[in-house]
PDB file of all heavy atoms in Angstrom:
ATOM      1  N   ARG A   1       9.321   0.750  -1.733  1.00 91.00           N
ATOM      2  CA  ARG A   1      10.409  -0.169  -2.115  1.00 91.00           C
ATOM      3  C   ARG A   1      10.097  -1.578  -1.700  1.00 91.00           C
ATOM      4  O   ARG A   1      10.412  -2.526  -2.366  1.00 91.00           O
ATOM      5  CB  ARG A   1      11.746   0.347  -1.587  1.00 91.00           C
ATOM      6  CG  ARG A   1      12.987  -0.469  -2.046  1.00 91.00           C
ATOM      7  CD  ARG A   1      14.264   0.112  -1.470  1.00 91.00           C
ATOM      8  NE  ARG A   1      14.496   1.453  -1.780  1.00 91.00           N
ATOM      9  CZ  ARG A   1      14.846   1.951  -3.017  1.00 91.00           C
ATOM     10  NH1 ARG A   1      15.161   1.074  -3.980  1.00 91.00           N
ATOM     11  NH2 ARG A   1      14.960   3.247  -3.275  1.00 91.00           N
ATOM     12  N   GLY A   2       9.577  -1.725  -0.458  1.00 91.00           N
ATOM     13  CA  GLY A   2       9.337  -3.051   0.071  1.00 91.00           C
ATOM     14  C   GLY A   2       8.349  -3.829  -0.722  1.00 91.00           C
ATOM     15  O   GLY A   2       8.184  -5.057  -0.572  1.00 91.00           O
ATOM     16  N   LEU A   3       7.459  -3.188  -1.502  1.00 92.00           N
ATOM     17  CA  LEU A   3       6.532  -3.938  -2.390  1.00 92.00           C
ATOM     18  C   LEU A   3       7.042  -4.031  -3.847  1.00 92.00           C
ATOM     19  O   LEU A   3       7.037  -5.056  -4.442  1.00 92.00           O
ATOM     20  CB  LEU A   3       5.169  -3.234  -2.304  1.00 92.00           C
ATOM     21  CG  LEU A   3       4.209  -3.678  -1.249  1.00 92.00           C
ATOM     22  CD1 LEU A   3       4.639  -3.100   0.079  1.00 92.00           C
ATOM     23  CD2 LEU A   3       2.784  -3.317  -1.509  1.00 92.00           C
ATOM     24  N   LEU A   4       7.417  -2.825  -4.395  1.00 91.00           N
ATOM     25  CA  LEU A   4       7.741  -2.792  -5.802  1.00 91.00           C
ATOM     26  C   LEU A   4       8.954  -3.669  -6.174  1.00 91.00           C
ATOM     27  O   LEU A   4       9.048  -4.260  -7.240  1.00 91.00           O
ATOM     28  CB  LEU A   4       7.994  -1.377  -6.293  1.00 91.00           C
ATOM     29  CG  LEU A   4       6.857  -0.476  -6.096  1.00 91.00           C
ATOM     30  CD1 LEU A   4       7.174   0.977  -6.629  1.00 91.00           C
ATOM     31  CD2 LEU A   4       5.637  -0.940  -6.913  1.00 91.00           C
ATOM     32  N   ARG A   5       9.907  -3.777  -5.283  1.00 90.00           N
ATOM     33  CA  ARG A   5      11.116  -4.486  -5.497  1.00 90.00           C
ATOM     34  C   ARG A   5      10.828  -5.981  -5.798  1.00 90.00           C
ATOM     35  O   ARG A   5      11.504  -6.710  -6.548  1.00 90.00           O
ATOM     36  CB  ARG A   5      12.051  -4.390  -4.354  1.00 90.00           C
ATOM     37  CG  ARG A   5      13.493  -4.932  -4.512  1.00 90.00           C
ATOM     38  CD  ARG A   5      14.372  -4.412  -3.423  1.00 90.00           C
ATOM     39  NE  ARG A   5      15.752  -4.874  -3.621  1.00 90.00           N
ATOM     40  CZ  ARG A   5      16.315  -5.941  -3.149  1.00 90.00           C
ATOM     41  NH1 ARG A   5      15.497  -6.755  -2.395  1.00 90.00           N
ATOM     42  NH2 ARG A   5      17.603  -6.283  -3.288  1.00 90.00           N
ATOM     43  N   PHE A   6       9.756  -6.433  -5.202  1.00 91.00           N
ATOM     44  CA  PHE A   6       9.396  -7.867  -5.282  1.00 91.00           C
ATOM     45  C   PHE A   6       8.318  -8.057  -6.418  1.00 91.00           C
ATOM     46  O   PHE A   6       7.731  -9.118  -6.566  1.00 91.00           O
ATOM     47  CB  PHE A   6       8.783  -8.456  -3.971  1.00 91.00           C
ATOM     48  CG  PHE A   6       9.858  -8.418  -2.908  1.00 91.00           C
ATOM     49  CD1 PHE A   6       9.953  -7.425  -2.001  1.00 91.00           C
ATOM     50  CD2 PHE A   6      10.758  -9.491  -2.780  1.00 91.00           C
ATOM     51  CE1 PHE A   6      10.842  -7.402  -1.009  1.00 91.00           C
ATOM     52  CE2 PHE A   6      11.625  -9.502  -1.781  1.00 91.00           C
ATOM     53  CZ  PHE A   6      11.766  -8.480  -0.894  1.00 91.00           C
ATOM     54  N   GLY A   7       8.054  -7.046  -7.183  1.00 88.00           N
ATOM     55  CA  GLY A   7       7.068  -7.191  -8.346  1.00 88.00           C
ATOM     56  C   GLY A   7       5.682  -7.150  -7.797  1.00 88.00           C
ATOM     57  O   GLY A   7       4.770  -7.565  -8.535  1.00 88.00           O
ATOM     58  N   ARG A   8       5.373  -6.656  -6.618  1.00 91.00           N
ATOM     59  CA  ARG A   8       4.027  -6.602  -6.123  1.00 91.00           C
ATOM     60  C   ARG A   8       3.492  -5.195  -6.454  1.00 91.00           C
ATOM     61  O   ARG A   8       4.166  -4.251  -6.741  1.00 91.00           O
ATOM     62  CB  ARG A   8       4.016  -6.848  -4.584  1.00 91.00           C
ATOM     63  CG  ARG A   8       4.441  -8.219  -4.238  1.00 91.00           C
ATOM     64  CD  ARG A   8       4.340  -8.498  -2.699  1.00 91.00           C
ATOM     65  NE  ARG A   8       4.621  -9.825  -2.385  1.00 91.00           N
ATOM     66  CZ  ARG A   8       5.590 -10.334  -1.589  1.00 91.00           C
ATOM     67  NH1 ARG A   8       6.512  -9.477  -1.073  1.00 91.00           N
ATOM     68  NH2 ARG A   8       5.789 -11.641  -1.412  1.00 91.00           N
ATOM     69  N   PRO A   9       2.149  -5.082  -6.282  1.00 90.00           N
ATOM     70  CA  PRO A   9       1.495  -3.775  -6.637  1.00 90.00           C
ATOM     71  C   PRO A   9       1.969  -2.695  -5.677  1.00 90.00           C
ATOM     72  O   PRO A   9       2.373  -3.040  -4.531  1.00 90.00           O
ATOM     73  CB  PRO A   9      -0.026  -4.071  -6.423  1.00 90.00           C
ATOM     74  CG  PRO A   9      -0.137  -5.570  -6.703  1.00 90.00           C
ATOM     75  CD  PRO A   9       1.119  -6.140  -6.117  1.00 90.00           C
ATOM     76  N   ALA A  10       1.912  -1.482  -6.004  1.00 91.00           N
ATOM     77  CA  ALA A  10       2.348  -0.323  -5.188  1.00 91.00           C
ATOM     78  C   ALA A  10       1.414  -0.213  -3.998  1.00 91.00           C
ATOM     79  O   ALA A  10       0.253  -0.743  -3.997  1.00 91.00           O
ATOM     80  CB  ALA A  10       2.282   0.969  -6.001  1.00 91.00           C
ATOM     81  N   PRO A  11       1.861   0.419  -2.861  1.00 93.00           N
ATOM     82  CA  PRO A  11       0.993   0.613  -1.710  1.00 93.00           C
ATOM     83  C   PRO A  11      -0.265   1.345  -2.168  1.00 93.00           C
ATOM     84  O   PRO A  11      -0.247   2.256  -2.999  1.00 93.00           O
ATOM     85  CB  PRO A  11       1.918   1.479  -0.798  1.00 93.00           C
ATOM     86  CG  PRO A  11       3.223   1.199  -1.225  1.00 93.00           C
ATOM     87  CD  PRO A  11       3.260   0.875  -2.687  1.00 93.00           C
ATOM     88  N   ASP A  12      -1.425   0.941  -1.499  1.00 92.00           N
ATOM     89  CA  ASP A  12      -2.684   1.487  -1.897  1.00 92.00           C
ATOM     90  C   ASP A  12      -3.275   2.316  -0.689  1.00 92.00           C
ATOM     91  O   ASP A  12      -3.569   1.736   0.338  1.00 92.00           O
ATOM     92  CB  ASP A  12      -3.591   0.336  -2.179  1.00 92.00           C
ATOM     93  CG  ASP A  12      -5.011   0.746  -2.602  1.00 92.00           C
ATOM     94  OD1 ASP A  12      -5.188   2.055  -2.667  1.00 92.00           O
ATOM     95  OD2 ASP A  12      -5.963  -0.127  -2.758  1.00 92.00           O
ATOM     96  N   TYR A  13      -3.390   3.631  -0.935  1.00 92.00           N
ATOM     97  CA  TYR A  13      -3.973   4.530   0.025  1.00 92.00           C
ATOM     98  C   TYR A  13      -5.329   4.992  -0.330  1.00 92.00           C
ATOM     99  O   TYR A  13      -5.926   5.942   0.257  1.00 92.00           O
ATOM    100  CB  TYR A  13      -3.113   5.760   0.192  1.00 92.00           C
ATOM    101  CG  TYR A  13      -1.825   5.543   0.961  1.00 92.00           C
ATOM    102  CD1 TYR A  13      -0.618   5.222   0.290  1.00 92.00           C
ATOM    103  CD2 TYR A  13      -1.644   5.737   2.286  1.00 92.00           C
ATOM    104  CE1 TYR A  13       0.590   5.016   0.914  1.00 92.00           C
ATOM    105  CE2 TYR A  13      -0.487   5.540   2.988  1.00 92.00           C
ATOM    106  CZ  TYR A  13       0.643   5.218   2.324  1.00 92.00           C
ATOM    107  OH  TYR A  13       1.833   4.996   2.970  1.00 92.00           O
ATOM    108  N   SER A  14      -6.061   4.324  -1.301  1.00 89.00           N
ATOM    109  CA  SER A  14      -7.277   4.848  -1.864  1.00 89.00           C
ATOM    110  C   SER A  14      -8.431   4.878  -0.893  1.00 89.00           C
ATOM    111  O   SER A  14      -9.356   5.604  -1.081  1.00 89.00           O
ATOM    112  CB  SER A  14      -7.645   4.021  -3.059  1.00 89.00           C
ATOM    113  OG  SER A  14      -7.847   2.636  -2.651  1.00 89.00           O
ATOM    114  N   ASP A  15      -8.377   4.106   0.255  1.00 91.00           N
ATOM    115  CA  ASP A  15      -9.435   4.183   1.194  1.00 91.00           C
ATOM    116  C   ASP A  15      -9.256   5.274   2.262  1.00 91.00           C
ATOM    117  O   ASP A  15     -10.054   5.352   3.227  1.00 91.00           O
ATOM    118  CB  ASP A  15      -9.545   2.804   1.910  1.00 91.00           C
ATOM    119  CG  ASP A  15     -10.173   1.724   0.956  1.00 91.00           C
ATOM    120  OD1 ASP A  15     -10.924   2.152  -0.011  1.00 91.00           O
ATOM    121  OD2 ASP A  15      -9.864   0.585   1.171  1.00 91.00           O
ATOM    122  N   THR A  16      -8.206   6.003   2.130  1.00 89.00           N
ATOM    123  CA  THR A  16      -7.965   7.169   3.056  1.00 89.00           C
ATOM    124  C   THR A  16      -9.109   8.150   3.030  1.00 89.00           C
ATOM    125  O   THR A  16      -9.565   8.527   1.928  1.00 89.00           O
ATOM    126  CB  THR A  16      -6.624   7.861   2.798  1.00 89.00           C
ATOM    127  OG1 THR A  16      -5.622   6.868   3.039  1.00 89.00           O
ATOM    128  CG2 THR A  16      -6.391   9.050   3.724  1.00 89.00           C
ATOM    129  N   SER A  17      -9.498   8.745   4.134  1.00 84.00           N
ATOM    130  CA  SER A  17     -10.572   9.695   4.158  1.00 84.00           C
ATOM    131  C   SER A  17     -10.142  10.842   5.050  1.00 84.00           C
ATOM    132  O   SER A  17      -9.048  10.953   5.479  1.00 84.00           O
ATOM    133  CB  SER A  17     -11.894   9.018   4.753  1.00 84.00           C
ATOM    134  OG  SER A  17     -11.661   8.721   6.117  1.00 84.00           O
ATOM    135  N   ASN A  18     -11.119  11.749   5.328  1.00 78.00           N
ATOM    136  CA  ASN A  18     -10.854  12.904   6.123  1.00 78.00           C
ATOM    137  C   ASN A  18     -10.658  12.593   7.589  1.00 78.00           C
ATOM    138  O   ASN A  18     -10.058  13.346   8.359  1.00 78.00           O
ATOM    139  CB  ASN A  18     -11.966  13.937   6.080  1.00 78.00           C
ATOM    140  CG  ASN A  18     -12.061  14.583   4.625  1.00 78.00           C
ATOM    141  OD1 ASN A  18     -11.103  14.885   4.049  1.00 78.00           O
ATOM    142  ND2 ASN A  18     -13.275  14.732   4.209  1.00 78.00           N
ATOM    143  N   THR A  19     -11.036  11.362   8.016  1.00 83.00           N
ATOM    144  CA  THR A  19     -11.019  11.016   9.397  1.00 83.00           C
ATOM    145  C   THR A  19     -10.004   9.870   9.677  1.00 83.00           C
ATOM    146  O   THR A  19      -9.718   9.549  10.791  1.00 83.00           O
ATOM    147  CB  THR A  19     -12.382  10.568   9.917  1.00 83.00           C
ATOM    148  OG1 THR A  19     -12.868   9.485   9.078  1.00 83.00           O
ATOM    149  CG2 THR A  19     -13.355  11.707   9.820  1.00 83.00           C
ATOM    150  N   SER A  20      -9.454   9.201   8.612  1.00 90.00           N
ATOM    151  CA  SER A  20      -8.507   8.126   8.814  1.00 90.00           C
ATOM    152  C   SER A  20      -7.611   7.903   7.616  1.00 90.00           C
ATOM    153  O   SER A  20      -8.024   8.279   6.508  1.00 90.00           O
ATOM    154  CB  SER A  20      -9.288   6.798   9.155  1.00 90.00           C
ATOM    155  OG  SER A  20     -10.056   6.422   8.065  1.00 90.00           O
ATOM    156  N   VAL A  21      -6.431   7.451   7.920  1.00 92.00           N
ATOM    157  CA  VAL A  21      -5.491   7.043   6.841  1.00 92.00           C
ATOM    158  C   VAL A  21      -5.442   5.541   6.788  1.00 92.00           C
ATOM    159  O   VAL A  21      -5.279   4.855   7.823  1.00 92.00           O
ATOM    160  CB  VAL A  21      -4.051   7.610   7.100  1.00 92.00           C
ATOM    161  CG1 VAL A  21      -3.067   7.150   6.093  1.00 92.00           C
ATOM    162  CG2 VAL A  21      -4.076   9.150   7.090  1.00 92.00           C
ATOM    163  N   VAL A  22      -5.690   4.990   5.571  1.00 94.00           N
ATOM    164  CA  VAL A  22      -5.738   3.570   5.422  1.00 94.00           C
ATOM    165  C   VAL A  22      -4.745   3.103   4.353  1.00 94.00           C
ATOM    166  O   VAL A  22      -4.712   3.720   3.240  1.00 94.00           O
ATOM    167  CB  VAL A  22      -7.120   3.102   5.032  1.00 94.00           C
ATOM    168  CG1 VAL A  22      -7.139   1.527   4.895  1.00 94.00           C
ATOM    169  CG2 VAL A  22      -8.210   3.548   6.003  1.00 94.00           C
ATOM    170  N   LEU A  23      -3.776   2.225   4.675  1.00 95.00           N
ATOM    171  CA  LEU A  23      -2.812   1.748   3.777  1.00 95.00           C
ATOM    172  C   LEU A  23      -2.973   0.210   3.647  1.00 95.00           C
ATOM    173  O   LEU A  23      -3.069  -0.534   4.590  1.00 95.00           O
ATOM    174  CB  LEU A  23      -1.439   1.981   4.399  1.00 95.00           C
ATOM    175  CG  LEU A  23      -0.205   1.356   3.747  1.00 95.00           C
ATOM    176  CD1 LEU A  23      -0.065   1.775   2.352  1.00 95.00           C
ATOM    177  CD2 LEU A  23       1.066   1.553   4.590  1.00 95.00           C
ATOM    178  N   HIS A  24      -3.003  -0.198   2.333  1.00 95.00           N
ATOM    179  CA  HIS A  24      -3.074  -1.586   2.022  1.00 95.00           C
ATOM    180  C   HIS A  24      -1.749  -2.041   1.367  1.00 95.00           C
ATOM    181  O   HIS A  24      -1.339  -1.473   0.347  1.00 95.00           O
ATOM    182  CB  HIS A  24      -4.176  -1.937   1.037  1.00 95.00           C
ATOM    183  CG  HIS A  24      -5.605  -1.540   1.591  1.00 95.00           C
ATOM    184  ND1 HIS A  24      -6.163  -2.195   2.620  1.00 95.00           N
ATOM    185  CD2 HIS A  24      -6.490  -0.628   1.190  1.00 95.00           C
ATOM    186  CE1 HIS A  24      -7.331  -1.660   2.922  1.00 95.00           C
ATOM    187  NE2 HIS A  24      -7.549  -0.681   2.059  1.00 95.00           N
ATOM    188  N   LEU A  25      -1.064  -3.089   1.869  1.00 95.00           N
ATOM    189  CA  LEU A  25       0.106  -3.649   1.381  1.00 95.00           C
ATOM    190  C   LEU A  25      -0.218  -5.008   0.750  1.00 95.00           C
ATOM    191  O   LEU A  25      -0.514  -5.963   1.588  1.00 95.00           O
ATOM    192  CB  LEU A  25       1.259  -3.756   2.391  1.00 95.00           C
ATOM    193  CG  LEU A  25       1.569  -2.471   3.226  1.00 95.00           C
ATOM    194  CD1 LEU A  25       2.675  -2.798   4.228  1.00 95.00           C
ATOM    195  CD2 LEU A  25       2.067  -1.409   2.242  1.00 95.00           C
ATOM    196  N   ALA A  26      -0.196  -5.131  -0.533  1.00 93.00           N
ATOM    197  CA  ALA A  26      -0.563  -6.396  -1.185  1.00 93.00           C
ATOM    198  C   ALA A  26       0.458  -7.506  -0.680  1.00 93.00           C
ATOM    199  O   ALA A  26       1.664  -7.348  -0.651  1.00 93.00           O
ATOM    200  CB  ALA A  26      -0.503  -6.286  -2.707  1.00 93.00           C
ATOM    201  N   THR A  27      -0.160  -8.716  -0.491  1.00 93.00           N
ATOM    202  CA  THR A  27       0.575  -9.967  -0.082  1.00 93.00           C
ATOM    203  C   THR A  27       0.607 -10.967  -1.306  1.00 93.00           C
ATOM    204  O   THR A  27       0.796 -12.128  -1.054  1.00 93.00           O
ATOM    205  CB  THR A  27       0.037 -10.582   1.111  1.00 93.00           C
ATOM    206  OG1 THR A  27      -1.331 -10.853   0.921  1.00 93.00           O
ATOM    207  CG2 THR A  27       0.214  -9.551   2.306  1.00 93.00           C
ATOM    208  N   ALA A  28       0.389 -10.480  -2.485  1.00 90.00           N
ATOM    209  CA  ALA A  28       0.445 -11.373  -3.621  1.00 90.00           C
ATOM    210  C   ALA A  28       1.829 -11.995  -3.778  1.00 90.00           C
ATOM    211  O   ALA A  28       2.834 -11.537  -3.260  1.00 90.00           O
ATOM    212  CB  ALA A  28       0.089 -10.592  -4.917  1.00 90.00           C
TER     213      ALA A  28
END
């Protein structure tokens, strides 16, 4: 909600692996 409400891209978890969780929050 904190991203989509402002028209920003959805949270990006694509870099998550078996050993770490990685979250990217766009600042566009």
Side-chain angles (χ1 to χ4, degrees):
R1 187 180 301 281
L3 272 77
L4 298 179
R5 192 168 183 266
F6 296 96
R8 295 184 172 116
D12 180 7
Y13 286 90
S14 60
D15 288 336
T16 294
S17 67
N18 294 320
T19 57
S20 65
V21 174
V22 183
L23 167 63
H24 300 294
L25 305 178
T27 55

